[in-house]
């Protein structure tokens, strides 16, 4: 409490840095952490509050903390840590005569070790949400899930009014579309405001290996909130996203369309139309049957029935404390 000088400098230039195109991709795929600028996010003022969620399988942890000098006006931050996949190109740097390999146990022909990797190969992918809202913190909290079968009427009477009443900020989406952020990361653009889109690596992906490829297509067109809003009118846009997205990913990453899983989420995590492209061998988050809708099937359904997604019951899972789940309960739909 002694030096209670508000440290506004916790992250003095983050905004500017973001606007210049933040993110992991130095794009050269060399894995050279040394060439990217150091973060302005000062972990010195970060105090761990709670582990929101962790996965031993995914090698991730989501933590909530406070940033500030404990003057009562600290702000919340969510930090996501993730160990990154191995890459063939860097294996020789791990497995060579200079390797710092320490024996743990030996039994017959079997032994286990600790390999202390050179720091350049030891990076932890770190995503920072700061300042984080209550919603961000809740979003990552491990919770019980409940399945909802949302009929057309449910959407009209419960979900749509709920979405209307919420103010989800999607400024980051507009920043990408208007080239105010991440402009240097754009893989492909079809600029048409009606049928066009921007193809960009999702920031979950570090672009260093295609095993966990994760790219998103963000529609230029505004006002299409989700799958529910799609009609046959949107077919040209969806077909453009499918074809040009596949082509651009093949050109840039040499991954053919037969190795891509291309889908929409329902419910999405942000209500501006976007399509996910992930490596088919990668068990990406959000590929469960109750959330992922293959773009090719979406296109087929709309060709068979122009109002398929206005009529069809759609199933999705919600977390126990999701306010939308509460609404479904109140309406006796659970
Ligand atoms: C998001 C879904 C959204 C927290 C977190 C992530 N890809 C993004 C901002 C810029 C991006 C994304 C919202 C937010 Cl951890 C709240 O994701 C993004 N830029 N998925 C890219 N390229």
């Amino acid at each position: 409490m002694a030096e209670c000088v508000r440290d506004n400098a916790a992250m003095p230039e983050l905004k500017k840095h973001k606007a210049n195109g933040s993110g992991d991709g130095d794009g050269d795929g060399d894995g050279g952490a040394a060439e990217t600028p150091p973060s302005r996010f000062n972990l010195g003022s970060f105090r761990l509050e709670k582990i929101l969620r962790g996965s031993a399988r995914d090698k991730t942890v989501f933590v909530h903390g406070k940033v500030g000098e404990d003057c009562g006006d600290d702000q919340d931050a969510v930090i996501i840590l993730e160990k990154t996949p191995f890459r063939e190109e860097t294996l020789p740097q791990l497995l060579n005569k200079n390797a710092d390999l320490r024996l743990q146990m030996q039994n017959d022909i079997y032994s286990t070790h600790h390999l202390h990797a050179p720091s350049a190969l030891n990076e932890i992918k770190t995503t920072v949400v700061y300042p984080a809202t209550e919603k961000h913190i809740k979003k990552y909290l491990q919770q019980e899930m409940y399945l909802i079968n949302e009929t057309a009427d449910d959407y009209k009477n419960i979900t749509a009014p709920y979405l209307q009443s919420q103010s989800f900020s999607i400024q980051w989406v507009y920043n990408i579309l208007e080239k105010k952020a991440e402009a240097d990361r754009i893989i492909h653009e079809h600029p048409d405001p009606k049928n066009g889109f921007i193809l960009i690596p999702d920031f979950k992906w570090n672009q260093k290996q295609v095993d966990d490829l994760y790219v998103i297509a963000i529609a230029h067109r505004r006002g299409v909130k989700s799958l529910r809003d799609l009609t046959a009118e949107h077919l040209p846009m969806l077909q453009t996203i499918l074809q040009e997205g596949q082509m651009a990913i093949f050109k840039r990453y040499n991954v053919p369309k037969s190795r891509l899983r291309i889908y929409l989420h329902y419910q999405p995590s942000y209500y501006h139309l976007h399509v996910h492209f992930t490596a088919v061998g990668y068990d990406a988050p959000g590929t469960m049957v109750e959330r992922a809708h293959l773009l090719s099937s979406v296109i087929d359904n709309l060709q068979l029935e122009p109002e398929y997604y206005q009529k069809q019951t759609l199933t999705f899972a919600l977390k126990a404390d999701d306010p939308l789940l509460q609404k479904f309960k109140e309406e006796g739909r659970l």
Side-chain angles (χ1 to χ4, degrees):
M1 281 309 242
E3 2 61 288
C4 205
V5 185
R6 177 82 183 113
D7 183 13
N8 275 324
M11 194 159 43
E13 286 189 272
L14 183 78
K15 283 226 168 73
K16 191 172 136 220
H17 183 58
K18 256 190 185 163
N20 290 342
S22 71
D24 33 41
D26 55 358
D28 52 6
D30 62 354
E35 288 151 48
T36 56
S39 172
R40 276 102 166 179
F41 187 72
N42 180 10
L43 285 175
S45 60
F46 181 83
R47 296 188 316 281
L48 178 67
E49 290 273 314
K50 186 181 167 73
I51 292 183
L52 300 170
R53 157 165 33 139
S55 164
R57 180 171 152 279
D58 299 338
K59 314 285 187 289
T60 56
V61 68
F62 294 66
V63 304
H64 167 215
K66 296 272 187 193
V67 175
E69 301 297 326
D70 204 16
C71 301
D73 60 345
D74 314 4
Q75 289 187 290
D76 292 296
V78 171
I79 300 186
I80 306 167
L81 302 178
E82 178 174 4
K83 297 199 187 180
T84 54
F86 292 102
R87 291 193 291 143
E88 188 170 353
E89 309 92 89
T90 57
L91 284 179
Q93 290 163 254
L94 286 177
L95 305 171
N96 62 45
K97 64 176 178 355
N98 298 319
D100 180 4
L101 192 64
R102 302 178 196 176
L103 181 68
Q104 192 184 17
M105 72 92 191
Q106 174 105 49
N107 179 348
D108 188 42
I109 61 169
Y110 309 100
S111 57
T112 65
H113 310 256
H114 299 290
L115 175 56
H116 292 257
S119 72
L121 297 182
N122 210 6
E123 70 183 45
I124 293 173
K125 181 170 160 49
T126 306
T127 305
V128 177
V129 183
Y130 172 79
T133 64
E134 192 61 36
K135 267 189 214 158
H136 288 114
I137 297 162
K138 279 203 171 138
K139 174 175 163 178
Y140 295 116
L141 201 60
Q142 185 88 310
Q143 282 182 64
E144 302 284 316
M145 305 289 289
Y146 294 84
L147 273 198
I148 303 264
N149 296 310
E150 180 199 65
T151 63
D153 278 347
D154 289 336
Y155 181 73
K156 218 168 28 196
N157 302 329
I158 305 172
T159 311
Y162 168 74
L163 296 178
Q164 196 67 46
S165 75
Q166 290 294 304
S167 52
F168 299 108
S169 171
I170 46 170
Q171 189 54 47
W172 69 270
V173 172
Y174 298 142
N175 287 347
I176 291 174
L177 293 174
E178 291 163 13
K179 319 269 164 64
K180 290 178 181 160
E182 306 188 51
D184 55 334
R185 290 161 40 88
I186 293 174
I187 301 164
H188 175 78
E189 176 171 17
H190 185 112
D192 183 57
K194 190 153 173 267
N195 298 323
F197 68 102
I198 281 181
L199 192 72
I200 194 163
D202 189 288
F203 72 10
K204 285 189 276 297
W205 183 39
N206 68 11
Q207 288 177 269
K208 287 181 178 166
Q209 60 287 312
V210 295
D211 313 61
D212 61 338
L213 179 144
Y214 202 139
V215 169
I216 47 178
I218 303 177
H220 268 304
R221 185 165 169 164
R222 305 204 177 178
V224 186
K225 287 189 293 300
S226 73
L227 187 63
R228 267 289 183 213
D229 286 346
L230 291 176
T231 66
E233 187 216 341
H234 303 101
L235 279 168
M237 169 178 74
L238 298 172
Q239 276 153 339
T240 304
I241 290 175
L242 180 64
Q243 280 147 24
E244 291 187 19
Q246 288 171 331
M247 211 151 61
I249 289 174
F250 183 66
K251 274 197 190 137
R252 174 69 62 97
Y253 303 109
N254 204 30
V255 175
K257 61 184 184 186
S258 56
R259 306 266 286 157
L260 291 174
R261 187 190 283 121
I262 306 170
Y263 54 97
L264 291 83
H265 281 156
Y266 193 75
Q267 299 286 335
S269 51
Y270 45 99
Y271 290 86
H272 176 104
L273 195 82
H274 61 282
V275 175
H276 304 259
F277 293 69
T278 62
V280 81
Y282 170 48
D283 190 8
T287 52
M288 317 78 94
V289 289
E290 70 272 29
R291 187 148 193 226
H293 296 254
L294 286 175
L295 179 57
S296 56
S297 305
V298 171
I299 290 173
D300 279 350
N301 290 336
L302 291 173
Q303 282 170 339
L304 285 167
E305 164 56 62
E307 297 191 345
Y308 182 91
Y309 290 102
Q310 285 74 58
K311 296 179 175 171
Q312 183 66 29
T313 293
L314 296 173
T315 299
F316 52 83
L318 292 176
K319 288 194 173 134
D321 79 340
D322 193 308
L324 183 56
L325 186 76
Q326 202 52 47
K327 299 265 181 252
F328 273 85
K329 272 187 193 157
E330 284 164 18
E331 298 294 319
R333 293 288 299 120
L334 207 72

